[in-house]
Amino acid sequence: TAAHLAATTEDEAGETKAPLPKRLASAAVDPAAAATTNRKPYARLKKPSARYALQRHLLGFSRLRLLPKHSGLRPVAMLGRPAVASFAPPGGRNGKSLRLEERQRGDTERQRGDKKRPGRVSLAFRPVNAGLQSVFDVLRFESKRRPEVMGANVSDYHDVRARLVPFIRRWRARQRRLARERSWEQRTEPRELNGDETKTKTKRAPANGGVVAGPAPVVERPFIVAADVKGAFDSIPLEALERVAAALVEAPAYDVQRLTRVTGGAGGVGVRAKTARHASRAFSREEDANASRDNSKVSSGGVCIDLASPTRVHRARVLELLHEHLRKNVVRSGGVYLLQKVGIPQGSVLSTLLCGVFYAHLESAHGLRDGGGVRSRDAENVSVSNELETDGVLCRWTDDLLYVSAARAPAERFLKAATRGFEEHGCVMNAGKTSTNFDGRGERTLSGSRKCVAWCGLLIDSETLECTVDYARYAGDRAREAVTTPGFAGGGGGVGDPYKHLGRKICAYLRPKAIPLLYDRSVNSPLTAKLNVYQNFLMAAVKTHCYVAATTPRRAGRRSDEATGKNATKNNGPSLPGPSAARVCAALAEGIAYMERATCSRASGKGKKARRRARAVARTHVRFLGLSAFLVTFSRKKTRHAGTVAALRAALATPEMRACARRLKPVLEDPRNDVFGEIRF
């Protein structure tokens, strides 16, 4: 009911419970009403108009679902599922005769149990994304062939690292040079000897006593602007988007082929096969040899198998499907057909790619990359002042913008241009999500003891540019709702052993935050790199406890308080059933081994010395941080993990681990770990 939906509902990721606004409670029952609430980009279609349009459609239509947000509802088209539409027969004389025949044959249809009315028009369509797959292959090929059309777009943290690290290295080199100059002036003390002769005495910096080193001193802090486009997918003008996307398709025809890459160990152990689609420009026979050599570059390891029978896609067909998808996108919600008027269909396989191409065109048209302060590749011989004015970097993850500059003026110009908006591109910034680390003209600045700029799940230090993970978004929420479980153990024989692959589960919990950017020595100091390892283990320990608690059968006579996680019984009986301590420690060992590989970046050289130099965090430190994180987390739930806590304490009592404890004490006591005390599990 609407009252129940207004009370609680799942958020977009299904992780937390968020209240639904009362003004949208009725819209939750009627999705079509919600699609047109708050100027949503949909308009109602009458059923005769919808039937007429769908009978001439190449892609068909999709159903609409609503995802709750903190500010309302977000309509998302289910373009990955097939759809069937049924319409009444057309009116007029033919329609009347059909309806008369229906009445005459009504008894016969009811006797057969067929509830479908004779004479109705039924239209069946395959998933819209399946029809758009060839368009996606062509656009992706052209965007990779010409990277400039994507501008400052990044699609993952590896792209973020590729764009940020070169700027951070240049900025850090300048800070080290300035720090050396200032330190030399402060560390030298002139002393008079005989007449005009002088002798300098150098003060040595005190040793840190073997404690892990923190960030280097900063002389000139950077200037950071983080902004978010308001309603990015819903505000893009379709005519301009279609014009920009059509300009990408240059060749008259393309060939789309399917390639399978097979990797694995010897003897068929661990063999994995992954099939991908790759588009290329249609070539003549004399170009076959060159094209075959190009196809060999697709496989970076293993064996690449060409499945043959490539599909030929012509430019006219690509543009026709693109036009229909953008200008004639029909969705159905609650029996009502809607036509999208503005924006990209959310849920489409093309949505992210088209958004990236369109905003790259915006960057080029308004000079956000060049005039906004990004350093030119040709500008090598410039003065120091000009170098600061031109040294900057822009990253755009779909609709989230991040601009970092070494000087204040370019950052202010970028902030001014972003807040002013770009009306012709339908781009307006969300003032509530725009933040800077400097005082602008009435602009919001950061506050707090440790100032950081939040952007796409990262926290960027406003003084040192060090990167950590933004775990504050988990504070106050129940972590158990973010964990997927196979079922309740003991509920049936089909569930099986939920702890058979517990080690793989822990590795899966570690994988999203095991990105090279967080452990890059040119980005983070040893203290921050080890802090990222420790916090990653803390979050994995929280999820591991939630998984064990959800899959462990409750013992008869014991009940638990879900709000506090404490047992309601007063007797101090044995620990709750679940995986043994040896099993949990073995699974944790798999996670520690995974993090040891993740924190070891690839080195250009060969041999043990090259691998040792490439390791950001020592193996013993990774093991100590993993054991300590699980011990701290499981100690909060001693009733369930009594045996595991004892085993972890024994593992940390060795001389090697005690030495790591003394060295890594600043990591464990860092105030940035306090956020985990606010996560409920």
Side-chain angles (χ1 to χ4, degrees):
T1 63
H4 176 70
L5 289 174
T8 70
T9 183
E10 290 187 1
D11 67 353
E12 300 175 22
E15 298 181 356
T16 60
K17 296 290 183 177
L20 194 65
K22 292 182 179 180
R23 60 186 175 85
L24 293 175
S26 60
V29 180
D30 186 5
T36 56
T37 303
N38 297 338
R39 302 186 299 274
K40 294 297 180 183
Y42 292 97
R44 288 177 180 265
L45 279 179
K46 295 182 179 180
K47 288 193 175 181
S49 301
R51 176 183 55 80
Y52 180 83
L54 292 178
Q55 284 178 334
R56 291 156 179 81
H57 255 219
L58 298 174
L59 297 173
F61 73 101
S62 59
R63 289 175 292 174
L64 195 69
R65 63 172 179 159
L66 302 175
L67 293 180
K69 297 176 57 179
H70 292 287
S71 58
L73 297 173
R74 172 183 294 176
V76 176
M78 302 170 65
L79 299 171
R81 297 185 181 181
V84 178
S86 179
F87 299 96
R93 181 176 55 186
N94 295 334
K96 293 180 180 179
S97 61
L98 287 175
R99 285 193 291 271
L100 180 60
E101 294 177 0
E102 290 176 17
R103 288 193 297 269
Q104 294 175 352
R105 293 182 300 178
D107 296 337
T108 305
E109 298 294 340
R110 282 191 295 271
Q111 291 176 1
R112 291 189 307 176
D114 189 1
K115 297 181 180 179
K116 187 175 179 180
R117 294 173 55 191
R120 291 183 66 86
V121 178
S122 297
L123 303 174
F125 299 96
R126 64 173 182 165
V128 175
N129 281 339
L132 293 172
Q133 187 62 47
S134 60
V135 181
F136 174 75
D137 296 333
V138 171
L139 294 180
R140 182 178 59 178
F141 163 75
E142 290 292 350
S143 64
K144 290 184 177 180
R145 190 179 68 88
R146 295 183 292 164
E148 65 275 5
V149 301
M150 298 301 293
N153 183 74
V154 293
S155 57
D156 53 27
Y157 289 112
H158 296 283
D159 294 342
V160 174
R161 182 192 181 199
R163 291 194 64 84
L164 278 182
V165 168
F167 168 80
I168 294 178
R169 287 175 178 171
R170 294 194 304 267
W171 180 79
R172 290 267 171 82
R174 174 174 172 78
Q175 300 308 309
R176 287 193 298 267
R177 185 174 66 251
L178 294 176
R180 284 195 302 266
E181 296 174 357
R182 178 172 297 185
S183 177
W184 180 259
E185 295 176 357
Q186 296 176 354
R187 290 166 56 186
T188 57
E189 295 180 356
R191 184 175 59 180
E192 295 184 1
L193 293 177
N194 296 326
D196 297 335
E197 295 181 4
T198 60
K199 184 178 180 180
T200 59
K201 181 179 179 181
T202 304
K203 296 181 179 179
R204 291 188 177 183
N208 57 4
V211 180
V212 60
V218 174
V219 179
E220 298 174 350
R221 69 172 187 173
F223 297 88
I224 308 174
V225 179
D228 176 79
V229 180
K230 186 176 182 180
F233 291 96
D234 299 334
S235 60
I236 295 179
L238 296 180
E239 182 178 356
L241 174 61
E242 183 180 2
R243 184 171 60 253
V244 172
L248 284 178
V249 188
E250 295 180 345
Y254 297 86
D255 288 333
V256 180
Q257 58 185 10
R258 298 170 64 238
L259 301 176
T260 299
R261 185 162 62 94
V262 182
T263 58
V269 179
V271 175
R272 297 182 299 271
K274 183 178 181 180
T275 303
R277 296 165 59 98
H278 298 272
S280 60
R281 294 192 173 192
F283 45 80
S284 56
R285 293 182 179 179
E286 57 269 15
E287 295 175 335
D288 287 351
N290 296 332
S292 61
R293 285 194 295 268
D294 293 339
N295 290 338
S296 62
K297 300 179 182 179
V298 175
S299 177
S300 59
V303 179
C304 185
I305 303 175
D306 189 352
L307 300 183
S309 302
T311 304
R312 179 65 57 87
V313 182
H314 294 273
R315 182 177 187 271
R317 181 70 170 183
V318 172
L319 297 182
E320 183 181 9
L321 292 174
L322 184 63
H323 174 78
E324 179 176 306
H325 183 55
L326 294 178
R327 310 298 290 273
K328 301 178 182 179
N329 181 46
V330 178
V331 297
R332 186 179 67 187
S333 177
V336 178
Y337 291 89
L338 307 169
L339 177 66
Q340 187 165 3
K341 294 290 187 180
V342 181
I344 307 176
Q346 297 194 44
S348 169
V349 68
L350 301 178
S351 58
T352 303
L353 181 59
L354 291 177
C355 187
V357 172
F358 185 76
Y359 284 127
H361 180 267
L362 182 149
E363 296 169 4
S364 178
H366 292 272
L368 295 182
R369 280 173 282 161
D370 299 328
V374 177
R375 183 178 181 177
S376 175
R377 295 181 180 178
D378 300 330
E380 296 294 340
N381 300 322
V382 294
S383 61
V384 176
S385 60
N386 292 335
E387 182 180 358
L388 290 178
E389 289 290 331
T390 58
D391 197 9
V393 63
L394 174 65
C395 293
R396 175 178 43 79
W397 197 322
T398 309
D399 58 344
D400 294 310
L401 304 176
L402 175 69
Y403 183 76
V404 186
S405 174
R408 183 189 184 100
E412 288 183 343
R413 289 198 300 267
F414 179 86
L415 178 62
K416 183 178 180 181
T419 53
R420 186 172 58 247
F422 311 97
E423 184 178 356
E424 65 277 11
H425 289 82
C427 178
V428 178
M429 297 298 168
N430 191 342
K433 295 183 179 181
T434 301
S435 59
T436 65
N437 68 332
F438 58 90
D439 295 328
R441 300 173 182 176
E443 306 297 341
R444 190 181 74 174
T445 57
L446 297 175
S447 60
S449 58
R450 191 172 187 87
K451 300 179 181 179
C452 295
V453 176
W455 180 75
C456 292
L458 297 176
L459 287 178
I460 303 175
D461 194 289
S462 60
E463 294 184 357
T464 63
L465 291 183
E466 292 190 326
C467 297
T468 56
V469 180
D470 185 11
Y471 291 103
R473 52 183 179 169
Y474 297 101
D477 295 335
R478 292 192 61 84
R480 185 174 299 184
E481 298 176 359
V483 177
T484 303
T485 58
F488 193 79
V495 175
D497 185 5
Y499 314 118
K500 182 179 181 180
H501 302 294
L502 186 59
R504 296 183 185 178
K505 277 287 183 181
I506 295 179
C507 293
Y509 298 150
L510 294 169
R511 187 174 295 113
K513 303 301 184 295
I515 54 179
L517 176 66
L518 300 176
Y519 316 114
D520 195 324
R521 290 174 295 180
S522 61
V523 176
N524 290 329
S525 63
L527 173 63
T528 305
K530 293 174 174 59
L531 178 70
N532 287 329
V533 174
Y534 180 62
Q535 291 185 344
N536 196 7
F537 275 117
L538 283 175
M539 197 65 203
V542 170
K543 293 183 178 180
T544 302
H545 163 77
C546 296
Y547 178 82
V548 171
T551 55
T552 300
R554 293 189 181 93
R555 225 169 27 188
R558 296 181 68 97
R559 59 184 180 88
S560 60
D561 186 1
E562 295 294 337
T564 61
K566 299 180 180 179
N567 293 327
T569 57
K570 297 182 179 181
N571 58 329
N572 297 325
S575 60
L576 295 177
S580 63
R583 204 168 192 179
V584 175
C585 291
L588 177 57
E590 292 186 34
I592 292 175
Y594 173 79
M595 282 301 298
E596 290 176 355
R597 297 190 299 268
T599 55
C600 182
S601 59
R602 295 180 180 179
S604 57
K606 295 182 179 180
K608 295 182 179 179
K609 292 184 178 180
R611 290 193 294 270
R612 191 180 301 114
R613 288 195 301 268
R615 186 170 299 281
V617 184
R619 291 180 181 271
T620 54
H621 291 180
V622 173
R623 184 168 184 269
F624 171 79
L625 294 173
L627 295 174
S628 300
F630 271 74
L631 176 61
V632 170
T633 303
F634 284 4
S635 295
R636 297 171 59 181
K637 305 291 182 180
K638 290 183 179 180
T639 304
R640 186 177 298 275
H641 306 287
T644 305
V645 168
L648 292 175
R649 286 177 177 171
L652 289 171
T654 61
E656 185 181 26
M657 293 294 102
R658 288 200 299 267
C660 291
R662 291 190 296 269
R663 182 173 178 82
L664 300 178
K665 184 178 180 181
V667 178
L668 304 183
E669 298 179 354
D670 195 291
R672 287 174 286 184
N673 297 326
D674 296 341
V675 66
F676 287 91
E678 303 176 8
I679 299 177
R680 303 165 57 197
F681 64 94

